[in-house]
Amino acid sequence: MSGEPSSDEPGRIPSSRAEFCRGFSEFHRFLRRFQFHNTSVGGVDLDEKGDLANNLNIVNTMVLRNGSIWSVKVGSIERQASGEMELTIEQDAIVWPPWYKQMLPYSRCTQSCLPGHVKVVLEGKPVCCYDCSPCAEGTISSQEDAEHCTKCPEDQHPNRNQTQCIPKHITFLSYDEALGIVLVFLGLLLSLVTLLILGIFIKFTETPLVKANNRSLSYILLLSLLLSFLSCFLFIGQPRRVTCLLRQTAFSTIFSIAVSSVLAKTITVVVAFMATKPGNRMRKWLGKGLANSIVVLCSSVQMGLCAVWMGISPPFPDSDWHSLQGQITLQCNEGSVAMFYGALGYMGFLAAVSFTVAFLARKLPGAFNEAKLITFSMLVFCSVWVSFVPTYLSTKGKYTVAVQVFSILASSAGLLGCIFLPKCYIIVVRPDLNTKEHLTAKSESGS
């Protein structure tokens, strides 16, 4: 028998690629309708691509001690609308044998991200392999393997673990806290000291020492210092519309009157010394008129600035939600920051002029040596307010108010102590020095 073998002969190797593909296609048509059976499902079909066409349940089977079999569904394999298969496992439903003491099997590259963290996909690695990163500040995640963190509402902030939002604490400089109590105590103490000094000056108003240093200016300065100590109470407590309007205007105006009084005292000392020289025309400027004019003029400028401030953009109660973590600070918004620093700058200008004039007049004869006291007092005053600006800008929350209150108390106490305490010492302790003869002798000796 001769001739080529038939192409349908079993075991024959195809002689060409086309013949191989035709035979494989016929075989694939057979597999396309493949079906198998198992004990859990009546029949499992494969689709035309050879993938599962049915949804499957994953069952946890246990053989109990009495020999019975107990089964519970712990997961499933389900086809999604997109055509992809989704595997779901309920880990808590799985029952492991009592004798199994090892770590449970883990099917992922990494452990689950705890609440308070967010998944970070690693480039070039499978989706199931990711890193865990803490939520950003101000955000939380309350579930494991969170895809993103949620930002807390403005009036809430994350707890320590960043797993839930909790209400922010409302704060302001109050009379109940330690810082507020200390500032109130200092304000009251300095106010009482000022009243005591004022009483001493009124009682000994006819003595040479009190008369030589312009009594009216001394009284104006003491009253303005008393009001400055009392103005600190406008800064303590929950901000209200009235207190916000009064605190800065009262502070600026009162301090301008105080510094203007110091400036008037200094100029009066210089004019009085120059008027003692024969033929000098400065004698006509002596008297209360010059001093009062300086106080009224310098204070009126500050009052004008405050009036413009109140008319353009007055202070008002406000809340700071973001400066301090977990706190809402109740405060007074200055309205116009430029006007606030303008009023502060004008007060600094008056202080600088007072210091300069007093420094130049510090070597006048002994009868007019108040310039020495003013020089040192303005040095303390300027030092306090120069350090106030950077400190004020660097603090946050209620401590900003505390810085301003402390600066008011410290600078006012500097004026009170440097100018009036030495005089009180002479009036009360050394009355023998509080005589016209002693002042004249000092003036003649040039000490």
Side-chain angles (χ1 to χ4, degrees):
M1 183 183 296
S2 64
E4 295 182 359
S6 171
S7 60
D8 296 332
E9 183 178 346
R12 178 182 178 276
I13 299 176
S15 60
S16 65
R17 180 181 181 85
E19 186 178 351
F20 174 79
C21 292
R22 185 171 60 252
F24 186 80
S25 177
E26 294 176 357
F27 180 69
H28 186 263
R29 284 197 300 269
F30 168 76
L31 291 178
R32 191 172 298 172
R33 299 186 178 277
F34 179 78
Q35 183 184 61
F36 67 90
H37 296 264
N38 63 10
T39 58
S40 62
V41 185
V44 178
D45 295 319
L46 302 180
D47 61 12
E48 58 183 9
K49 295 182 179 180
D51 297 327
L52 285 173
N54 298 82
N55 295 333
L56 298 179
N57 293 332
I58 301 176
V59 179
N60 181 196
T61 302
M62 291 283 295
V63 179
L64 304 180
R65 293 183 177 180
N66 57 8
S68 60
I69 298 177
W70 176 81
S71 299
V72 62
K73 178 182 175 181
V74 297
S76 63
I77 301 176
E78 299 179 354
R79 179 178 293 276
Q80 305 298 307
S82 60
E84 297 182 352
M85 304 299 293
E86 183 183 62
L87 172 64
T88 303
I89 297 292
E90 298 179 12
Q91 186 173 351
D92 296 337
I94 301 176
V95 179
W96 297 94
W99 49 265
Y100 190 84
K101 303 297 183 181
Q102 303 177 16
M103 181 181 294
L104 299 181
Y106 208 75
S107 61
R108 291 185 295 181
C109 308
T110 182
Q111 295 184 0
S112 298
C113 293
L114 299 175
H117 295 73
V118 62
K119 293 196 302 185
V120 178
V121 178
L122 301 176
E123 186 176 355
K125 291 191 176 183
V127 179
C128 61
C129 297
Y130 50 82
D131 200 0
C132 297
S133 177
C135 288
E137 184 176 353
T139 61
I140 65 162
S141 65
S142 57
Q143 299 178 345
E144 290 187 353
D145 292 335
E147 299 289 342
H148 62 275
C149 296
T150 305
K151 187 175 182 180
C152 288
E154 195 173 23
D155 61 343
Q156 297 181 0
H157 71 104
N159 61 353
R160 180 176 297 180
N161 297 325
Q162 292 185 278
T163 57
Q164 63 178 341
C165 295
I166 56 178
K168 290 183 177 179
H169 180 58
I170 297 178
T171 62
F172 55 88
L173 185 60
S174 67
Y175 293 96
D176 300 330
E177 59 183 302
L179 182 58
I181 293 173
V182 171
L183 294 175
V184 168
F185 173 77
L186 291 176
L188 291 175
L189 177 63
L190 292 172
S191 298
L192 292 176
V193 173
T194 306
L195 286 173
L196 178 62
I197 294 175
L198 181 59
I200 293 173
F201 266 63
I202 292 175
K203 182 177 180 179
F204 296 92
T205 186
E206 297 299 329
T207 58
L209 182 61
V210 176
K211 296 169 73 173
N213 291 312
N214 199 321
R215 287 177 294 185
S216 60
L217 284 180
S218 296
Y219 295 150
I220 292 174
L221 179 55
L222 284 171
L223 288 175
S224 61
L225 290 177
L226 175 61
L227 292 176
S228 68
F229 291 134
L230 295 177
S231 69
C232 295
F233 296 102
L234 294 172
F235 293 82
I236 304 174
Q238 184 173 348
R240 308 289 184 184
R241 182 172 181 82
V242 175
T243 55
C244 287
L245 287 173
L246 288 178
R247 62 167 57 174
Q248 297 300 347
T249 53
F251 154 71
S252 302
T253 303
I254 293 170
F255 258 72
S256 295
I257 295 174
V259 180
S260 299
S261 301
V262 175
L263 178 60
K265 271 179 165 289
T266 310
I267 294 178
T268 300
V269 170
V270 176
V271 172
F273 175 72
M274 296 178 65
T276 59
K277 296 180 180 180
N280 196 296
R281 297 181 179 179
M282 298 299 294
R283 183 179 298 271
K284 64 180 181 180
W285 293 101
L286 283 176
K288 297 181 180 180
L290 176 62
N292 294 337
S293 298
I294 294 174
V295 175
V296 172
L297 178 62
C298 295
S299 303
S300 298
V301 175
Q302 185 71 291
M303 291 179 184
L305 287 174
C306 292
V308 174
W309 185 2
M310 296 300 105
I312 295 177
S313 181
F316 58 91
D318 196 12
S319 301
D320 184 359
W321 301 73
H322 307 292
S323 294
L324 296 177
Q325 178 69 22
Q327 295 184 10
I328 301 175
T329 304
L330 302 182
Q331 61 184 12
C332 285
N333 190 310
E334 308 305 343
S336 174
V337 178
M339 294 303 299
F340 171 72
Y341 285 105
L344 197 64
Y346 177 72
M347 188 177 66
F349 169 75
L350 291 179
V353 173
S354 300
F355 172 76
T356 303
V357 176
F359 180 78
L360 296 176
R362 72 191 187 281
K363 293 184 179 181
L364 293 178
F368 308 99
N369 65 354
E370 192 177 26
K372 298 178 181 179
L373 303 178
I374 293 175
T375 301
F376 189 69
S377 67
M378 295 314 298
L379 180 62
V380 174
F381 184 91
C382 294
S383 300
V384 171
W385 287 104
V386 167
S387 60
F388 162 78
V389 176
T391 308
Y392 182 84
L393 295 175
S394 61
T395 54
K396 297 179 181 180
K398 62 184 179 183
Y399 301 104
T400 302
V401 181
V403 167
Q404 187 170 1
V405 173
F406 179 79
S407 299
I408 293 173
L409 294 175
S411 56
S412 300
L415 293 178
L416 183 67
C418 295
I419 295 177
F420 292 101
L421 285 184
K423 298 177 184 179
C424 290
Y425 174 79
I426 294 177
I427 293 172
V428 177
V429 181
R430 297 292 304 274
D432 56 301
L433 301 179
N434 189 14
T435 60
K436 186 175 181 180
E437 293 75 14
H438 176 75
L439 294 177
T440 304
K442 290 181 67 178
S443 178
E444 291 176 353
S445 63
S447 58

